[in-house]
Amino acid sequence: MHKRQFLKSALCLATATALGLGAATATASPDNGSEGGQYIMGTATTGGTFYPVGVALSTLVRVKLEPTHDISVSAISSAGSAENLRLMDDNEAQFGILQALYGAWAWHGEGPVPKAYDNVRSISMLWQNVEHFVMRSNRVESGTIDDLSNLYGRGFSIGARNSGTEGSGRQILAGLEIDPEQMNLAYLGYGPSADSMQNGNIDGMNIPAGVPASAVTSAFANMDSNISILNVTEEQLERINADYPVWTPYEIPAGTYPSQDEPVHTIAQPNILVVNADVPEEHVYQITKAMFENLPFLNNIHPATRDMALEKALDGLPMPLHPGAARYFQEQGLVIPAHLLEG
């Protein structure tokens, strides 16, 4: 084995062992007559939630399924939903984490997605992607997302170029009739956005992520009450959902971030795990099963995965289930809506 590959595998196993999921607990019988598979999963930039959750999922698969089924998944950093679709279309990745909005665009070939991705299938809802629109407090007036218009002519990070963060941010702002092109846009990932806020280069940033988002935590830790997370009202949510009703209200409890003394009433959309249709049914079945039979392991990696539950697995899925995922959910007694079943 190549030294770099050995070290990567050893790190995954050490992480799993530290969390109480050693390789010795993998007791499933191999799938007789079935070859294994080595897969890639597209996530997003390292300062958000997609990447650590993707690493958690890939570590889980390596520990539970590689010894018994020769199935492995490696999580890679990417620009997010849009790039994950491209990687999957080019078969450079076979799995991906997407915002539900991008899933809807991809299935229908709408919005900024130039074609329908009819080779992509759903596996499960993972967690809620919570919108954090962060501004310097001295620019805040109403305390709501409409205050983003105060950043016209000023620096604002809308997310990495062509990322899901940029796409969903533009969709939200369009619903509010706020024109990001009147801002001095920066196309930064989550960590660099927080750094740029702290360095005074921008006055706001768009961070959709599971709570708590590490980039937001870092910004608050360094800037204290000099920054604020904007609220979203019911009326603003209605305007945002006019074309694609994927967002729902979400409360960030007080104390989630340093110096955040009041709850923030924002919005969230589901993040989903998807897979190429040509990945074998048995492999997707085993991966889906491993996920839902080891939720405490995922919860220990990142608190955002505490939203995951079998009864929520089908929430917000915009495209049909892969047959392997559908088989597992049917075995668990879930009633699958017709639009999520093929044929």
Side-chain angles (χ1 to χ4, degrees), residues 14 19 42 58 66 71 96 102 192 239 248:
L19 290 164
S58 66
E66 191 168 31
I71 298 171
Y102 263 82
R239 285 190 280 153
T248 56

Side-chain angles (χ1 to χ4, degrees), residues 104-338:
W105 282 338
W107 187 245
H108 297 288
E110 297 175 342
V113 180
K115 67 174 185 176
Y117 285 78
D118 55 9
N119 189 48
V120 178
R121 298 292 182 271
S122 298
I123 294 181
S124 175
M125 193 278 275
L126 294 177
W127 76 96
Q128 292 288 343
N129 207 33
V130 181
E131 305 293 344
H132 299 72
F133 284 93
V134 182
M135 279 181 63
R136 294 187 186 278
S137 297
N138 62 2
R139 304 281 172 198
V140 173
E141 294 177 358
S142 69
T144 75
I145 196 170
D146 280 341
D147 286 342
L148 288 176
S149 61
N150 295 339
L151 296 185
Y152 286 175
R154 309 199 68 85
F156 177 73
S157 176
I158 199 165
R161 195 178 294 275
N162 298 321
S163 66
T165 298
E166 179 191 1
S168 64
R170 287 185 180 276
Q171 183 70 29
I172 290 170
L173 296 183
L176 299 171
E177 298 183 340
I178 296 174
D179 182 7
E181 299 307 322
Q182 294 191 50
M183 305 172 184
N184 296 330
L185 290 179
Y187 296 91
L188 302 172
Y190 291 4
S193 292
D195 292 342
S196 195
M197 285 281 290
Q198 295 164 42
N199 294 335
N201 296 325
I202 59 175
D203 288 336
M205 61 181 182
N206 171 32
I207 308 288
V211 173
S214 61
V216 179
T217 299
S218 173
F220 269 98
N222 287 282
M223 301 183 71
D224 199 57
S225 60
N226 291 320
I227 57 173
S228 303
I229 304 173
L230 301 177
N231 291 279
V232 180
T233 68
E234 291 184 10
E235 183 274 335
Q236 289 165 342
L237 174 58
E238 185 175 341
R239 285 190 280 153
I240 290 167
N241 271 339
D243 293 328
Y244 297 95
V246 299
W247 284 277
T248 56
Y250 190 100
E251 180 180 294
I252 302 175
T256 299
Y257 298 108
S259 302
Q260 182 218 335
D261 298 328
E262 300 291 334
V264 176
H265 299 282
T266 183
I267 56 177
Q269 62 163 307
N271 290 315
I272 62 175
L273 180 62
V274 299
V275 62
N276 280 340
D278 53 4
V279 173
E281 176 180 330
E282 181 66 18
H283 293 181
V284 177
Y285 171 83
Q286 293 295 342
I287 289 170
T288 308
K289 180 179 180 181
M291 284 169 47
F292 284 96
E293 292 186 354
N294 294 281
L295 288 177
F297 168 74
L298 297 176
N299 296 165
N300 284 335
I301 293 286
H302 199 288
T305 62
R306 292 171 190 163
D307 279 347
M308 290 181 65
L310 191 61
E311 61 270 19
K312 299 179 182 179
L314 307 182
D315 291 356
L317 299 183
M319 57 190 65
L321 287 164
H322 190 284
R327 172 154 65 100
Y328 176 75
F329 294 137
Q330 287 170 330
E331 287 180 356
Q332 302 307 305
L334 293 188
V335 177
I336 300 177

